Amino acid sequence: MSYIIGAIYATKYIGTRKMAQRFFEILKEANMEPDKIGLYEPVKKLYTIEKAIDMWVFGDEPGPEAAGGMLGVRKQPPNYTFDIGWARGPLAVPNDVTFFFSPKVFAKHRNIIEHIFKETYHLFDGFYGYITHNRPESRQHVTGSIKTRIPGLFWCNYFSPLYVDFFGREKILSGPWVKTEELDSGTIVTYLAGEPDKEILESDFFEKRAKEHLGIESFGDPEEGEKNPDEIQIRKVPAIVIPEVRGE
């Protein structure tokens, strides 16, 4: 199955009512609210913003640790799904959201989808994000997490100041991109190709060239991953610190 993925990672704690409220306002402003929501598959509960906010913060109890998340589905055009995950405490992993679109929906609604992605990245104070067709993501995947390797280089890449400082601003900006954009937050957005499902889909040339420019040692080795699929590849990446706070 072919689909477009949009993933955002944040060190900021997002499991709050305030965060949920604004996220669903962003979707409403874009006329992209979900039809149904759920804590797990199958997603059956009819959406209202009140129910969605309550579901978002489910599990946020007093104490040193907490984790939660939810799913959303929009079946009417333009259809898509999203998956939210959050955590706090000593063992917390980066909070995240992942969007899934069909290539046809993404092509038709690209501008509004990229707007939603950028607004959500800003809301979550994201430190890394990307938009890609699932095929380039799959061929670059190796076992591990954002803390052990950079997942890859994709059609669209969001490098926060954490990565800008790590690689160097001029090095990122001088990469083999077709387009770059600097956000007010200091994040640099780069594009490997004009579309996520055209030339970049059939060839790994673009991503390999960009990895060599930034430093191949920061990315997983898919060939080694095929030989040792359970081995976690520890690559050269910036330290990611998750604050142990409850949030607002």
Side-chain angles (χ1 to χ4, degrees):
M1 179 183 295
S2 295
Y3 50 92
I4 304 296
I5 304 164
I8 297 170
Y9 294 88
T11 56
K12 188 173 186 177
Y13 177 61
I14 67 171
T16 66
R17 302 188 75 85
K18 182 178 179 181
M19 193 69 67
Q21 175 84 35
R22 181 54 192 148
F23 176 79
F24 290 114
E25 286 174 352
I26 290 171
L27 298 183
K28 182 178 181 180
E29 290 162 4
N31 294 316
M32 292 277 280
E33 292 173 287
D35 300 318
K36 295 185 179 181
I37 52 176
L39 293 172
Y40 45 79
E41 296 279 6
V43 180
K44 294 182 176 181
K45 197 174 188 70
L46 291 177
Y47 169 82
T48 68
I49 190 169
E50 294 79 13
K51 291 177 183 177
I53 292 172
D54 288 342
M55 190 173 290
W56 182 297
V57 300
F58 181 78
D60 183 26
E61 302 292 339
E65 295 182 74
M70 66 173 296
L71 305 170
V73 176
R74 182 183 173 93
K75 294 189 175 181
Q76 61 179 306
N79 57 300
Y80 72 98
T81 64
F82 68 79
D83 185 349
I84 296 282
W86 56 260
R88 59 175 171 79
L91 301 179
V93 296
N95 292 207
D96 67 276
V97 58
T98 307
F99 297 94
F100 301 89
F101 303 90
S102 73
K104 184 176 180 179
V105 166
F106 185 84
K108 185 175 182 179
H109 302 278
R110 173 177 163 180
N111 288 342
I112 191 61
I113 290 171
E114 286 205 78
H115 172 76
I116 290 171
F117 190 89
K118 187 177 292 184
E119 288 293 304
T120 304
Y121 182 91
H122 176 71
L123 172 66
F124 288 3
D125 193 18
F127 70 85
Y128 175 71
Y130 61 87
I131 304 174
T132 181
H133 189 282
N134 63 296
R135 191 183 301 173
E137 185 191 54
S138 296
R139 72 181 174 222
Q140 296 182 74
H141 175 76
V142 300
T143 301
S145 71
I146 190 68
K147 288 186 172 185
T148 60
R149 85 287 188 265
I150 299 175
L153 286 175
F154 306 105
W155 171 69
C156 176
N157 310 271
Y158 275 61
F159 295 111
S160 73
L162 177 71
Y163 290 93
V164 174
D165 291 343
F166 178 75
F167 287 119
R169 177 177 176 273
E170 293 306 319
K171 191 168 190 178
I172 292 179
L173 289 175
S174 64
W177 323 107
V178 299
K179 177 184 174 183
T180 62
E181 179 183 359
E182 293 190 75
L183 306 183
D184 292 341
S185 64
T187 289
I188 298 178
V189 185
T190 71
Y191 292 83
L192 270 180
E195 302 292 340
D197 57 350
K198 296 294 188 289
E199 66 266 37
I200 196 173
L201 191 61
E202 300 302 329
S203 172
D204 62 3
F205 168 78
F206 299 93
E207 62 209 39
K208 282 186 173 181
R209 181 178 61 174
K211 287 177 182 177
E212 289 172 358
H213 175 80
L214 291 181
I216 198 71
E217 65 274 8
S218 293
F219 304 89
D221 183 343
E223 292 185 6
E224 179 61 31
E226 288 185 7
K227 297 175 184 176
N228 301 289
D230 297 327
E231 180 180 337
I232 296 177
Q233 298 183 21
I234 307 298
R235 312 300 282 173
K236 185 179 179 182
V237 294
I240 296 168
V241 180
I242 311 297
E244 297 179 21
V245 297
R246 184 176 176 80
E248 297 180 4

